[in-house]
Amino acid sequence: MDKLPFKDSLLEAVQIGAKNFLSLVLVTILYVLTIWIPYINVGTTIAIEAIPALLAKGEVIDPLFIFDEKYRKNMGEFFILIGLMMMALIPAFCLLFAPGMVLSMAWSLAILLFIDKDMKALDALRKSNELTYGYKWRIFFLVLVLVLVMQLIASILGGIFKAVDMPVVGGFVASIASFLLVPFRLGLDAVIYRNLTAEPKVEEPKAEEPKADAEEPKANAEEPKADVVVEGQSTDEAFNTL
């Protein structure tokens, strides 16, 4: 069974992004405005990373959820997870690009599993590698196509103003457009996370139908014929009449 059909995954990502567009834009703005606040910014960063898991459950995003203190409880384990990932990814990208890309796809669900499933760092890495097995390049091309489309839209909008000798306005519009397309990127992450972590449906065995009862004996079974002797006849006469 294909858990990530290419076309359907992209279409659903756009639907989720459009449905939560305003709340996701407000969340992003709040994050940018508060990223300079020490300690608070760690919790908000973890909360931002958790958004795809919330979208995957169909939850309505409250922009203020990023300030929830629960996202600051496991910041130590969060940094351990990020550190482990960077220790492997940086050398992999520097020495050989392809292994680094494959490894980044293999661990692409680790942070979400850490936050959503409350896994330890190493467990989250192992589980992410297991869930993405056979889907690494599908994830890569899904993200690539969506990002290219998003950048194309932003470039077109910016190019319109550049064509009328307003390059500064065009650059500003392109940047704003790129910012406003972030919800659709989060929508794709939600689709990937939900589909790959979904438990396979197990069909319940059908109950056996009771066997039909053995055929009842025919009610109208022929009864043996009784010999009839007419009154007044001798035995020999009665026998001759049969």
Side-chain angles (χ1 to χ4, degrees):
M1 179 181 177
D2 189 359
K3 293 183 178 181
L4 283 178
F6 202 91
K7 180 181 177 182
D8 292 343
S9 297
L10 287 174
L11 291 176
E12 192 170 4
V14 173
Q15 292 173 358
I16 293 175
K19 179 181 177 181
N20 299 273
F21 183 80
L22 182 58
S23 59
L24 292 177
V25 169
L26 292 176
V27 166
T28 308
I29 292 173
L30 282 175
Y31 177 68
V32 172
L33 292 177
T34 59
I35 197 172
W36 58 273
I37 305 176
Y39 183 69
I40 297 295
N41 55 9
V42 178
T44 56
T45 299
I46 297 175
I48 287 290
E49 294 287 351
I51 288 177
L54 300 177
L55 294 176
K57 298 175 183 178
E59 296 184 14
V60 178
I61 302 296
D62 179 3
L64 297 177
F65 91 99
I66 61 173
F67 301 113
D68 194 325
E69 63 180 6
K70 70 178 182 180
Y71 293 109
R72 298 191 292 271
K73 288 182 179 180
N74 294 326
M75 63 173 59
E77 191 78 14
F78 177 77
F79 283 120
I80 292 175
L81 174 58
I82 297 298
L84 290 174
M85 293 176 66
M86 292 300 102
M87 286 172 62
L89 289 174
I90 292 175
F93 274 110
C94 291
L95 298 176
L96 294 170
F97 181 79
M101 184 59 66
V102 172
L103 193 58
S104 66
M105 294 299 106
W107 289 347
S108 59
L109 303 181
I111 295 177
L112 288 171
L113 291 169
F114 166 77
I115 300 171
D116 185 44
K117 306 295 184 182
D118 198 24
M119 289 185 175
K120 297 297 183 182
L122 288 175
D123 293 335
L125 292 172
R126 292 193 189 100
K127 188 64 176 179
S128 178
N129 184 58
E130 175 188 330
L131 292 173
T132 56
Y133 182 78
Y135 290 96
K136 295 178 181 67
W137 289 113
R138 181 74 61 86
I139 295 172
F140 172 77
F141 285 111
L142 280 170
V143 174
L144 178 64
V145 169
L146 184 64
V147 170
L148 289 177
V149 171
M150 290 165 57
Q151 291 302 317
L152 178 61
I153 294 173
S155 298
I156 291 174
L157 294 175
I160 293 174
F161 288 92
K162 291 179 181 179
V164 293
D165 294 330
M166 300 177 67
V168 176
V169 176
F172 178 75
V173 170
S175 299
I176 294 297
S178 298
F179 174 78
L180 295 178
L181 293 171
V182 169
F184 304 107
R185 176 68 177 84
L186 293 172
L188 179 59
D189 290 339
V191 172
I192 294 172
Y193 179 72
R194 184 200 62 201
N195 290 6
L196 293 186
T197 57
E199 295 291 337
K201 294 182 180 179
V202 179
E203 295 183 0
E204 297 181 358
K206 296 182 180 179
E208 295 183 0
E209 297 181 358
K211 295 182 179 179
D213 296 336
E215 294 184 0
E216 297 179 358
K218 295 181 180 180
N220 298 327
E222 295 183 359
E223 297 179 359
K225 295 180 179 179
D227 295 336
V228 179
V229 178
V230 180
E231 187 178 354
Q233 289 182 329
S234 64
T235 303
D236 294 338
E237 291 174 343
F239 179 79
N240 292 332
T241 59
L242 295 176

